[in-house]
Amino acid sequence: MNAHPHSLHAATNLWSLDTALRHLADRVRSEAGARDIYGDGGTLQAWRPRPDRNPTGGHADPIGDAVLGMTYRIDTPCADRYRAATATLCWLAIHTLGDLPAENRTPIQQLLHHIDMVPPQAAAEVARWAADEDRRIRELLHLDTGQQPIPGVTCPACSRVSLATSGINATSTVVVCTNDLCTCLGDICLCGMNIHADGARHIWTAAYVSTWKVAA
């Protein structure tokens, strides 16, 4: 994997947000007193709206749309958060992906599928929004970050034992430095990232980090 750090962060944050949104949807369903809206787990349909449709509307995801409909019938912080997040996701996917093909995926799945094709600076904006939204939802639901600390391995940039694994899809993980002050210095940085990106939080593939030595 030789993706740009901004793309890796965007994918990691979107994957974490997708998990948080599922927990949030469950809470909304519980608050609304709904029963098994998943039914037979109906096929997710293409979400991209026609040009004449409101981009902040539904995304033709029968599961997500069912939860979204519930948010208009109850007045709770979770319902408000779910409604705001899904509206922004639709807008973000439409305006970030442009004319990239829309398969039968939800907005967050589309962003994950095409994020490597998005310019680095646009990917950085997606990463920032997804991280902020993920944090808000997890704080609301009292969820942990989902990251797994890596004991005994130091970050090559800040020399702290501050590394953690984070999921990027169903089968792969990346490694991030959790030190908020540890950012890439560009070409002079000793971080070892495949692509140096001035100001980016450090992120590596798990396979690459597995070659590092454990700190004494």
Side-chain angles (χ1 to χ4, degrees):
M1 185 184 296
N2 197 31
H4 195 282
H6 291 325
S7 299
L8 287 176
H9 278 298
T12 301
N13 296 348
L14 285 167
W15 185 256
S16 181
L17 174 59
D18 190 43
T19 300
L21 277 170
R22 292 175 188 275
H23 285 286
L24 186 60
D26 286 342
R27 180 67 63 85
V28 171
R29 289 170 57 225
S30 176
E31 290 176 344
R35 292 188 178 181
D36 194 23
I37 64 160
Y38 287 87
D40 61 359
T43 304
L44 295 175
Q45 303 299 315
W47 58 268
R48 183 166 297 180
R50 300 187 306 272
D52 60 328
R53 287 182 59 186
N54 183 346
T56 62
H59 41 73
D61 167 2
I63 296 172
D65 283 350
V67 178
L68 186 60
M70 294 176 190
T71 68
Y72 292 98
R73 300 198 301 270
I74 58 176
D75 183 17
T76 68
C78 288
D80 291 344
R81 187 78 262 143
Y82 189 89
R83 187 165 54 248
T86 52
T88 304
L89 267 172
C90 284
W91 181 92
L92 192 63
I94 293 165
H95 290 271
T96 300
L97 299 180
D99 294 330
L100 289 173
E103 294 86 2
N104 294 338
R105 297 184 176 96
T106 62
I108 203 165
Q109 292 168 344
Q110 275 294 104
L111 284 164
L112 281 165
H113 184 71
H114 287 299
I115 199 65
D116 286 345
M117 301 171 65
V118 172
Q121 289 308 311
E125 292 298 325
V126 172
R128 277 190 284 271
W129 177 82
D132 288 344
E133 190 61 37
D134 183 56
R135 174 184 52 78
R136 293 188 191 100
I137 293 173
R138 290 177 183 274
E139 288 178 353
L140 182 62
L141 300 179
H142 304 292
L143 300 174
D144 62 34
T145 63
Q147 294 179 333
Q148 299 296 320
I150 303 176
V153 180
T154 59
C155 171
C158 67
S159 300
R160 295 187 182 183
V161 183
S162 54
L163 302 181
T165 60
S166 187
I168 196 169
N169 55 46
T171 59
S172 302
T173 58
V174 292
V175 174
V176 297
C177 181
T178 59
N179 175 7
D180 290 338
L181 300 178
C182 185
T183 58
C184 187
L185 299 176
D187 292 339
I188 65 171
C189 195
L190 302 177
C191 60
M193 292 196 301
N194 287 334
I195 299 174
H196 287 167
D198 193 10
R201 295 284 298 272
H202 289 119
I203 187 168
W204 308 265
T205 62
Y208 178 68
V209 174
S210 68
T211 66
W212 297 355
K213 294 181 179 180
V214 176

